[in-house]
Amino acid sequence: MLVSSRLRFLSPHISFPFLSLRNHTPSRLSFSVAASAMETSSPSALFLCGKSSAETEIAKSLKINNALRLPNGGEVSTHLRSEISNFRFGEEAFNVDLFLNSLSTNRFGRNLIWSPRLPSTHDVVSHNFCELPIGAACVADVQFKGRGRSKNAWESPRGCLMFSFTLEMEDGKIVPLVQYVVSLAVTEAIKDICDREGFPCLDVRIKWPNDLYLNGLKVGGILCTSTYKSKKFNVSSGIGLNVDNEKPTTCLNAVLKEQSSTSNKFRREDIMAAFFNKFEMLYDIFLNQGFQTLEELYYRTWLHSGQRVIVQEKNEDRIVENVVTIQGLTSSGYLLAIGDDYQMCELHPDGNSFDFFKGLVRRKLE
């Protein structure tokens, strides 16, 4: 019998969890820079790009119709890919041409919005979902008002890869599982680049439900949100990955430097293109064959198979502890565990504080 004290059902508006270093470090560090230093009265510049001529026409239409908006009345100025050369950006700016030339998808990432500075890439795609083609992506060099699980902030300076993209799904039962496909595509993309470029293998792992870890330190995470409209789920998926900024924990290039005597480095454009190339393949498998087809690969990538944890819950004035062993995922995407009494239980991310490295799952107290 499966026991869960907090069964949750899919609602017309669902928000899936993200990562926040603030949950794990007493000093409340995050990938952040002072918002006041970046937030000016100037509008956010959005460069609209397409891989093919058809997608370039879509970009032109968005610009002509002034179709894109920011939440809360934030100002934007829209430009086309051909206009990028009219501006002076540093060498660290995202290279749109490099990304699009490395992209081999049929749908995802082919319509691209790039901005040197944005409050949130996720807000751009979610707020303009109906204006954008499915699979459209937004990437920013600097993000200063990102958001995560339980209203946590994800504020990122240069050196972080931050992008969001759109999905449309019909089966609400599998919507919660899409964050696991996204996580898996990130880890597989990094492996693919290591193999292709001859880099030492960086073993980026998934910490359930949506964090990315390298050598025991957090390097990124996933945010998926969904709204229900016209009998379909409009899903906005966001990825944050610390590629070339060592603070506050570590980054891919710092670990690569430790393991390689060459000056090779990961590039954000390569990772993002490799992600979409992998994601499109995994997503098709997910839709056509179900997540169970990907479970073996997912379990090889996550950190928790067979892990024993203590589940703490408050029962009136007492703290009750139960030891459980993680078995995998339930069909709904929650954590499946078995107690020493052989009773199965289901653990949910919302309302719990997970410290897997201390073997502890603690009920959050109001």
Side-chain angles (χ1 to χ4, degrees):
M1 181 176 67
L2 186 66
V3 176
S4 172
S5 60
R6 300 185 65 254
L7 286 175
R8 291 165 60 89
F9 297 91
L10 201 62
S11 62
H13 181 86
I14 48 181
S15 178
F16 302 118
F18 189 42
L19 78 164
S20 172
L21 279 169
R22 298 178 182 182
N23 288 340
H24 302 280
T25 53
S27 58
R28 299 176 63 82
L29 291 172
S30 67
F31 295 133
S32 63
V33 291
S36 59
M38 295 186 297
E39 195 170 2
T40 67
S41 58
S42 60
S44 296
L46 303 180
F47 291 86
L48 314 180
C49 315
K51 182 171 174 65
S52 69
S53 57
E55 285 128 10
T56 299
E57 288 303 312
I58 293 174
K60 290 179 180 178
S61 177
L62 290 171
K63 175 179 169 56
I64 291 172
N65 295 321
N66 195 26
L68 302 183
R69 297 286 187 272
L70 291 182
N72 303 318
E75 292 188 47
V76 297
S77 61
T78 54
H79 312 272
L80 298 177
R81 178 182 179 182
S82 58
E83 299 176 74
I84 293 178
S85 59
N86 297 337
F87 296 81
R88 303 183 68 179
F89 300 111
E91 293 182 359
E92 295 181 351
F94 189 85
N95 189 322
V96 170
D97 292 338
L98 178 59
F99 164 72
L100 290 175
N101 290 339
S102 301
L103 192 69
S104 59
T105 61
N106 294 317
R107 291 166 291 163
F108 294 105
R110 297 177 64 91
N111 292 97
L112 179 70
I113 302 170
W114 166 65
S115 178
R117 183 188 65 88
L118 268 183
S120 166
T121 63
H122 204 82
D123 282 349
V124 170
V125 298
S126 61
H127 193 69
N128 299 283
F129 195 100
C130 295
E131 304 295 336
L132 297 171
I134 299 302
C138 178
V139 62
D141 292 340
V142 172
Q143 175 179 274
F144 58 89
K145 281 190 178 180
R147 58 194 174 91
R149 178 184 172 193
S150 302
K151 299 182 181 180
N152 290 309
W154 177 265
E155 301 172 352
S156 308
R158 297 186 184 278
C160 299
L161 173 61
M162 301 153 292
F163 66 99
S164 302
F165 65 100
T166 60
L167 290 166
E168 190 174 70
M169 303 177 69
E170 296 183 359
D171 186 356
K173 294 179 181 178
I174 66 172
V175 171
L177 296 168
V178 74
Q179 62 179 331
Y180 304 141
V181 183
V182 174
S183 301
L184 195 54
V186 175
T187 61
E188 289 298 295
I190 293 170
K191 291 177 186 176
D192 184 68
I193 293 173
C194 289
D195 291 342
R196 187 174 69 238
E197 300 295 333
F199 294 172
C201 180
L202 298 193
D203 190 21
V204 178
R205 307 293 293 276
I206 298 168
K207 174 179 172 290
W208 187 85
N210 48 16
D211 291 348
L212 301 170
Y213 270 68
L214 177 59
N215 294 348
L217 296 173
K218 188 180 297 186
V219 292
I222 312 301
L223 168 68
C224 292
T225 59
S226 174
T227 57
Y228 188 68
K229 185 176 183 180
S230 301
K231 297 183 179 181
K232 291 185 179 180
F233 291 87
N234 295 339
V235 181
S236 301
S237 298
I239 294 91
L241 185 64
N242 205 4
V243 178
D244 202 25
N245 189 311
E246 297 184 44
K247 296 179 180 180
T249 56
T250 190
C251 64
L252 299 185
N253 282 332
V255 177
L256 180 63
K257 186 177 180 180
E258 293 173 358
Q259 298 184 11
S260 176
S261 58
T262 68
S263 59
N264 292 327
K265 297 180 70 174
F266 285 95
R267 297 182 296 191
R268 292 177 299 150
E269 299 86 352
D270 291 336
I271 295 175
M272 187 170 164
F275 165 82
F276 281 120
N277 295 340
K278 287 291 183 181
F279 177 78
E280 186 163 280
M281 176 188 67
L282 295 173
Y283 185 66
D284 285 342
I285 294 173
F286 170 58
L287 290 184
N288 296 325
Q289 302 177 39
F291 186 75
Q292 62 269 22
T293 310
L294 302 174
E295 277 187 344
E296 182 180 350
L297 178 60
Y298 183 83
Y299 291 147
R300 290 203 306 264
T301 308
W302 80 338
L303 293 166
H304 309 301
S305 294
Q307 185 179 11
R308 288 173 63 80
V309 297
I310 299 171
V311 179
Q312 285 187 347
E313 291 192 282
K314 187 176 182 181
N315 186 356
E316 295 181 350
D317 295 329
R318 297 185 305 119
I319 299 295
V320 179
E321 293 187 349
N322 294 289
V323 178
V324 299
T325 302
I326 296 173
Q327 302 292 297
L329 298 173
T330 69
S331 60
S332 301
Y334 297 119
L335 204 61
L336 178 65
I338 185 171
D340 288 346
D341 57 358
Y342 299 104
Q343 189 174 40
M344 303 299 291
C345 61
E346 187 178 66
L347 303 177
H348 296 235
D350 294 332
N352 291 314
S353 176
F354 292 92
D355 193 342
F356 282 116
F357 299 106
K358 292 182 179 179
L360 185 66
V361 180
R362 179 187 295 111
R363 175 73 68 189
K364 286 183 178 176
L365 305 179
E366 297 297 333

